[in-house]
Amino acid sequence: MGRFIALLYGLASYVIFFVTFLYAIGFVGHVAVPKDIDSGAAVSLAEALIVNLLLLGLFAVQHSVMARRGFKRWWTRIVPEAVERSTFVLAATLALALLLWQWRPIAEPVIWSVADPWARIALQAVFWLGWAMLLISTFLINHFELFGLRQVFARLRGRQIPAPEFRTPLFYRHVRHPIYLGFVLGFWATPHMSAGHLLFAIAATAYILIGIWFEERDLIAQFGDRYRLYREQVGMLLPRRAKRRQGPAGQ
């Protein structure tokens, strides 16, 4: 794949991702989209459960497998290393887009429906806070590398990307996974929780917890004791007081 073609591929993958990401926010939050998590043709409960769980499972398997270091080593024998991340982003986006398109609503039972105006505003504020935290966190660790743009631009200019550096900027000083925390807040903070929304929130949260376990294995393999110490001192999704480590005098 030529350098310019790789750049166009990376840019197209990013645009498709970003549009789908914005639609997903509206889908979960019932905001300015033609089809959200509770809208669409009514179907039987059995059909809705089967289809929705298959869609969630497809996204989870695709995302988890392609994110692993072992798969990346194998995959880059087939696709150029510069577009590996863009290909991952595109595949994950297509899996998410399929979920948004084919999701079956389960309107009842209603788990909770908040009527108080101030409580609704508070929940919506937490919803938007979660998505803002998520997006800001991607920039804290390098948004453009996370979504493949840095790699294709580096190839265009004939440059090598420096080895990853372990850093803990801003939110990362308080929780190890602020991106995932943003997702959790966005999935759960809603004034109206239908059964379908609850299914989505539970499955997505479970996937996040499983994904963190796999991701931290990779981070330990990459950064060793530095990440082990970080994991001891900083909470996974909730802040906690850092544990003091006793060492030799003067340290």
Side-chain angles (χ1 to χ4, degrees):
M1 182 181 290
R3 295 180 180 183
F4 187 68
I5 298 299
L7 176 63
L8 292 179
Y9 176 74
L11 288 170
S13 298
Y14 180 79
V15 170
I16 294 170
F17 149 73
F18 200 72
V19 171
T20 307
F21 172 73
L22 293 178
Y23 191 100
I25 295 174
F27 177 84
V28 176
H30 312 279
V31 180
V33 293
K35 180 180 184 297
D36 62 43
I37 199 166
D38 291 324
S39 67
V43 298
S44 68
L45 178 60
E47 178 183 337
L49 288 173
I50 291 171
V51 171
N52 292 346
L53 289 173
L54 285 174
L55 291 169
L56 289 162
L58 175 64
F59 178 84
V61 170
Q62 175 278 321
H63 199 274
S64 295
V65 171
M66 291 189 73
R68 302 283 65 80
R69 298 176 72 188
F71 179 88
K72 292 178 184 180
R73 286 193 294 269
W74 171 81
W75 185 232
T76 49
R77 299 174 188 171
I78 301 171
V79 301
E81 188 173 353
V83 299
E84 179 273 325
R85 189 65 187 181
S86 293
T87 303
F88 167 79
V89 169
L90 180 60
T93 300
L94 293 177
L96 175 60
L98 179 64
L99 185 152
L100 301 176
W101 175 37
Q102 289 296 320
W103 182 263
R104 306 301 200 257
I106 308 175
E108 295 180 349
V110 175
I111 311 304
W112 70 70
S113 185
V114 177
D116 181 78
W118 288 107
R120 292 179 66 88
I121 290 172
L123 286 168
Q124 289 165 350
V126 173
F127 171 84
W128 289 111
L129 175 66
W131 294 109
M133 176 185 292
L134 185 162
L135 189 59
I136 292 169
S137 297
T138 66
F139 282 97
L140 292 174
I141 60 174
N142 198 324
H143 175 90
F144 299 108
E145 183 173 349
L146 185 63
F147 296 105
L149 290 179
R150 188 183 185 193
Q151 292 87 327
V152 294
F153 273 101
R155 182 177 182 182
L156 180 69
R157 293 177 292 182
R159 297 181 180 177
Q160 293 291 325
I161 294 177
E165 179 184 349
F166 182 71
R167 299 180 300 113
T168 57
L170 195 58
F171 300 142
Y172 289 88
R173 298 172 189 168
H174 306 286
V175 292
R176 301 197 303 274
H177 300 282
I179 293 176
Y180 294 141
L181 175 58
F183 275 121
V184 171
L185 294 176
F187 295 156
W188 286 93
T190 177
H192 182 85
M193 179 65 80
S194 67
H197 193 151
L198 181 65
L199 172 67
F200 179 90
I202 290 174
T205 303
Y207 166 70
I208 284 171
L209 295 175
I210 294 170
I212 287 174
W213 186 82
F214 282 107
E215 184 175 322
E216 293 203 327
R217 288 179 61 193
D218 290 344
L219 290 168
I220 290 172
Q222 187 172 18
F223 296 111
D225 288 339
R226 291 191 66 189
Y227 194 84
R228 289 189 181 93
L229 178 61
Y230 175 63
R231 189 169 64 170
E232 290 178 8
Q233 295 178 334
V234 178
M236 181 172 66
L237 294 173
L238 296 175
R240 70 182 182 209
R241 295 184 63 182
K243 296 180 180 179
R244 292 190 174 183
R245 292 171 59 90
Q246 295 182 349
Q251 293 187 356

